[in-house]
């Protein structure tokens, strides 16, 4: 016999809270203890649940990391939807700043994951196969930054430009994670530099040799970043 709708709703809410508690506990332990030294048993203990229950929600600590990546991508997508219809350069700067703000609460956790994230043999490597779907999603989100701009690129360039912008965005994030300057001022300076460089180069994309170089760079980076057709 089916359970009443109210009981189903209560069970769903309880499950969501348990899942979040496990995920929050993992992020706290990754930041304080380190990713490699943290075990699922540690995470379950901090979340005040049995290891069996923790495994019911996440098959491994790698699965927890992928869930963190996915959460950040979902938050980024919401921020892109709220961007005003300004220039491409302004939208890129705004969304990068917004992404820094979104990741700020998880900064120590993400920094603790840095080694594994850049290890090509790790199952949570940002350029690894298991994270490919998240890269593709992130790239498609950054593509909307360009497509929704007042000076959006023409149809033939939008795919190439999306790849380049995503590469710059990802590079700035990795830089931000390692930036220990007060208030991450070095990252702010780097973002300003990228913004100014994009502003200078944007009008030059109409020039055939520059357009060809853009396509060439995108063809090199695309397979790593996720070059699905938009």
């Amino acid at each position: 016999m089916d359970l009443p709708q109210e009981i189903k709703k209560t069970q769903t809410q309880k499950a969501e809270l348990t899942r979040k508690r496990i995920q929050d506990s993992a992020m706290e332990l990754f930041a304080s203890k380190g990713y490699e030294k943290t075990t699922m048993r540690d995470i379950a203990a901090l979340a005040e649940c049995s290891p069996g229950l923790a495994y019911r929600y996440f098959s491994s600590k790698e699965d927890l990391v992928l869930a963190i990546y996915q959460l950040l991508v979902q938050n980024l997508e919401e921020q892109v939807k709220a961007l005003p219809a300004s220039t491409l350069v302004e939208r890129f700067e705004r969304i990068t700043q917004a992404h820094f703000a979104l990741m700020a609460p998880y900064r120590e956790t993400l920094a603790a994951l840095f080694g594994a994230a850049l290890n090509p043999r790790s199952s949570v490597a940002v350029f690894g196969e298991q994270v490919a779907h998240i890269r593709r999603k992130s790239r498609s989100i950054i593509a909307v930054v360009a497509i929704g701009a007042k000076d959006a690129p023409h149809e033939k360039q939008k795919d190439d430009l999306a790849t380049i912008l995503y590469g710059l965005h990802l590079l700035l994030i990795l830089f931000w994670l390692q930036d220990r300057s007060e208030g991450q001022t070095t990252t702010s300076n780097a973002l300003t530099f990228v913004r100014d460089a994009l502003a200078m180069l944007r009008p030059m994309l109409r020039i055939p040799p520059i357009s060809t170089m853009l396509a060439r760079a995108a063809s090199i980076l695309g397979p790593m970043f996720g070059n699905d057709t938009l």
Side-chain angles (χ1 to χ4, degrees):
M1 185 173 66
D2 291 340
L3 292 171
Q5 191 64 33
E6 191 62 34
I7 294 178
K8 287 183 178 180
K9 183 178 179 181
T10 300
Q11 289 179 337
T12 300
Q13 291 173 338
K14 184 178 179 181
E16 289 175 353
L17 288 172
T18 300
R19 179 183 177 87
K20 186 177 185 305
R21 190 169 71 250
I22 294 169
Q23 190 168 323
D24 289 346
S25 297
M27 288 191 284
E28 182 179 337
L29 285 169
F30 291 158
S32 63
K33 191 174 181 178
Y35 172 69
E36 298 297 340
K37 293 182 179 179
T38 298
T39 66
M40 285 295 287
R41 186 171 293 277
D42 295 331
I43 294 167
L46 185 60
E48 298 182 342
C49 68
S50 68
L53 182 60
Y55 277 113
R56 188 182 303 173
Y57 287 92
F58 300 97
S59 60
S60 64
K61 66 177 183 179
E62 289 79 13
D63 194 22
L64 274 156
V65 174
L66 296 178
I68 294 170
Y69 289 167
Q70 189 64 51
L71 173 64
L72 293 173
V73 170
Q74 290 171 354
N75 290 340
L76 178 64
E77 186 172 25
E78 293 302 314
Q79 290 294 320
V80 170
K81 290 177 182 178
L83 280 177
S86 52
T87 67
L88 183 150
V89 171
E90 290 170 343
R91 283 166 63 86
F92 179 80
E93 182 180 31
R94 280 174 178 261
I95 199 57
T96 303
Q97 290 173 331
H99 208 180
F100 291 156
L102 284 170
M103 293 188 299
Y106 315 106
R107 189 165 186 265
E108 294 306 316
T109 297
L110 293 170
L113 294 171
F114 195 84
L118 293 184
N119 181 353
R121 293 183 176 84
S122 171
S123 57
V124 296
V126 292
F127 298 119
E129 185 59 35
Q130 286 185 269
V131 186
H133 67 290
I134 297 176
R135 287 199 307 278
R136 286 193 290 269
K137 179 65 174 178
S138 300
R139 179 185 171 279
S140 69
I141 292 170
I142 296 300
V144 174
V145 173
I147 295 169
K150 291 179 179 179
D151 57 344
H154 59 69
E155 190 69 21
K156 291 182 180 180
Q157 282 187 335
K158 70 176 185 180
D159 202 46
D160 293 338
L161 192 56
T163 297
I164 300 302
L165 289 177
Y166 176 58
L168 289 170
H169 183 77
L170 183 58
L171 182 62
L172 285 165
I173 289 172
L174 295 175
F175 189 88
W176 174 79
L177 284 173
Q178 294 300 302
D179 182 8
R180 295 299 162 178
S181 62
E182 186 175 354
Q184 288 76 58
T185 54
T186 304
T187 300
S188 295
N189 292 336
L191 176 57
T192 300
F193 174 81
V194 170
R195 179 202 65 195
D196 293 345
L198 285 173
M200 181 180 67
L201 292 171
R202 177 66 187 91
M204 298 173 66
L205 293 180
R206 302 186 187 94
I207 304 172
I210 302 298
S211 180
T212 300
M213 289 299 291
L214 175 73
R216 184 178 176 186
S219 69
I220 294 170
L221 299 174
M224 182 175 289
F225 293 156
N227 58 347
D228 291 352
T229 300
L230 301 179

